[in-house]
Amino acid sequence: MGARAVLGVVETAYKREDYLAALRRVSVVPRGPKPIAVLRGLGVTPAITVPEPNTWRELLQALDEEGTSREELRLRGKRVAVQEYGVSNPELLSGLRERGAAVTRVPVYQWALPEDLAPLRAAVKHSLRERLTWRSSPPACSLRTSSKLPRR
């Protein structure tokens, strides 16, 4: 989970409770139920809950709606850090900037195709007869957009 990964990195340089206290002082807007559960387990209350299907569109809409009545959620002139996992979301970043936010990307990890594609090619070839399952979208997106592998 990204929130736990960031906490693990932060703890190498700062005290855990100092970091969590800082998170409690800012508006944290997780996109879906998994990060909400992690944050609540850490004692951090989300500023808003993004409705399903929890995409960047619902996140921006929730910020727009809540920002009309809550000053702390208005984006104009605010600094916004976006925790990314695997691939960047240009639509979300653009939407935040269009609303006047200064956006900082926080990539938790990045995924790329390996140099040796032979095992992946074999898996793709096999999947044409069976099924190929991904545990997260970044590898699937990389595979789909790769010109090095056959397209289905």
Side-chain angles (χ1 to χ4, degrees):
M1 173 111 323
R4 287 190 191 112
V6 170
L7 179 60
V9 171
V10 169
E11 286 180 313
T12 65
Y14 301 97
K15 293 179 183 174
R16 175 187 182 104
E17 194 47 48
D18 290 347
Y19 173 68
L20 293 176
L23 275 183
R24 291 180 193 113
R25 288 191 300 269
V26 298
S27 298
V28 178
V29 182
R31 208 180 66 190
K34 290 179 184 178
I36 288 173
V38 170
L39 290 166
R40 286 188 175 148
L42 296 170
V44 177
T45 303
I48 57 175
T49 302
V50 177
E52 289 187 8
N54 314 113
T55 71
W56 63 271
R57 289 177 184 89
E58 286 80 25
L59 187 144
L60 290 176
Q61 182 178 358
L63 284 169
D64 289 343
E65 291 170 0
E66 290 292 324
T68 61
S69 61
R70 296 173 57 191
E71 175 64 34
E72 72 272 14
L73 293 177
R74 293 185 189 141
L75 297 175
R76 182 144 320 277
K78 299 279 176 68
R79 288 179 295 157
V80 176
V82 176
Q83 179 179 310
E84 298 180 331
Y85 49 95
V87 294
S88 189
N89 184 330
E91 294 91 349
L92 172 60
L93 301 177
S94 176
L96 293 168
R97 288 183 183 112
E98 288 168 7
R99 288 159 174 80
V103 179
T104 300
R105 296 174 47 243
V106 182
V108 177
Y109 68 87
Q110 294 182 336
W111 191 93
L113 288 168
E115 285 191 34
D116 179 8
L117 296 176
L120 185 54
R121 282 193 177 108
V124 169
K125 185 176 179 181
H126 179 73
S127 73
L128 296 177
R129 293 186 304 262
E130 300 290 331
R131 182 177 308 221
L132 187 59
T133 304
W134 302 100
R135 294 180 49 104
S136 64
S137 63
C141 291
S142 292
L143 175 64
R144 189 174 59 230
T145 60
S146 174
S147 61
K148 297 179 181 181
L149 293 169
R151 295 178 191 251
R152 190 170 176 179

